[in-house]
Amino acid sequence: MYYYNYHENLIDDYLFPFRQLDLGNIWHEKNGVWHGIWQRRGNSNIFDARWTKPFSSDSVTAVMEVQINGNQVRVRRTNSSDGNNCYLTGTISLDGRTVIGNYNCNHGSGHWEATIHHSSQIPQLGNYWIQEAGRWRGVWQRRGNSNIFDARWTMSGTTESVTAVLEMFLTGNNVHIIRRYSSDGNDCYMTGTIAQGGRSVSGTSQCNHGGGNWNATIYY
């Protein structure tokens, strides 16, 4: 297997006569337990990326240079905050929405996949969510236009409350939520499906202590 050498200039017009196609605006990417959001810089082929993983405060940032030729994609990951620069290759689906491929890094290699979103396709997170899980009722308040929410739950019939920070990742109508910094120490990983119309969500959660079903309503 060939491993990319960063001292070689593989992104070269002679070797790879790329033509730029529609790169979308945001890529939602996953490799192993890591979830990444790649935000495009204007109309360039440069993306600013950030990865997080469930049940952890760890995060990694990097700069991604994306090149597409037909349905083939090649990506250089540089300036990685963990020092682990990479070279990624993949194949784009016929509808231009998903990418599946492999990566080789300074430290390790493996499989990756991503969903490409365009401005008109990016699901809306709304302004706040009202969430229900058993006797708990939560209010999740979005921080500006980010994917970060400040959440507070109260239990019916009591004065008990819990706070946490939520980080959301959307892929189509599926949502992945990482709950961190929980005041009760019970961090969680939540998944859900947004119903047609974009208002109601239902899913399941897995926490340090327990888990179960949950549902929410999105308000704009």
Side-chain angles (χ1 to χ4, degrees):
M1 178 179 293
Y2 180 79
Y3 285 84
Y4 180 71
N5 186 334
Y6 285 92
H7 297 291
E8 298 177 19
N9 183 19
L10 288 186
I11 307 301
D12 181 271
D13 288 339
Y14 177 75
L15 292 175
F16 302 120
F18 293 115
R19 56 188 177 91
Q20 289 302 313
L21 300 180
D22 192 346
L23 295 175
N25 303 99
I26 294 177
W27 290 34
H28 287 221
E29 182 254 334
K30 181 179 180 182
N31 63 87
V33 298
W34 291 93
H35 295 264
I37 294 181
W38 306 1
Q39 177 69 56
R40 188 177 181 184
R41 295 184 186 175
N43 294 318
S44 73
N45 69 325
I46 303 299
F47 289 69
D48 295 299
R50 180 174 182 267
W51 293 265
T52 57
K53 60 182 178 180
F55 310 116
S56 172
S57 60
D58 293 344
S59 66
V60 176
T61 60
V63 175
M64 315 297 283
E65 182 181 357
V66 180
Q67 304 281 1
I68 292 178
N69 183 27
N71 68 337
Q72 300 299 304
V73 60
R74 293 179 171 88
V75 184
R76 283 199 308 164
R77 167 176 153 172
T78 60
N79 300 318
S80 298
S81 60
D82 61 353
N84 196 26
N85 293 322
C86 306
Y87 182 62
L88 299 81
T89 59
T91 302
I92 302 175
S93 61
L94 291 176
D95 63 5
R97 293 288 305 277
T98 59
V99 186
I100 296 175
N102 297 291
Y103 64 86
N104 290 308
C105 300
N106 294 343
H107 308 289
S109 61
H111 172 83
W112 70 283
E113 57 188 64
T115 303
I116 302 173
H117 294 280
H118 302 77
S119 293
S120 60
Q121 299 171 336
I122 300 172
Q124 300 299 308
L125 290 176
N127 297 312
Y128 67 94
W129 295 32
I130 301 296
Q131 183 248 337
E132 305 282 347
R135 294 176 57 194
W136 290 95
R137 181 179 187 271
V139 178
W140 305 353
Q141 182 66 55
R142 187 177 182 183
R143 295 185 187 174
N145 293 319
S146 73
N147 68 324
I148 305 298
F149 286 69
D150 295 298
R152 181 175 184 269
W153 294 264
T154 54
M155 180 181 284
S156 61
T158 74
T159 58
E160 189 174 354
S161 67
V162 175
T163 60
V165 176
L166 307 178
E167 186 169 13
M168 295 194 185
F169 302 91
L170 281 169
T171 303
N173 66 334
N174 296 311
V175 61
H176 303 265
I177 304 171
I178 301 173
R179 168 176 154 174
R180 297 195 182 94
Y181 311 116
S182 300
S183 60
D184 61 353
N186 197 24
D187 291 340
C188 304
Y189 179 65
M190 307 166 67
T191 58
T193 301
I194 301 175
Q196 187 174 2
R199 291 295 303 275
S200 61
V201 190
S202 60
T204 59
S205 63
Q206 297 177 352
C207 302
N208 294 340
H209 308 289
N213 298 322
W214 64 277
N215 58 76
T217 303
I218 303 174
Y219 293 87
Y220 297 86

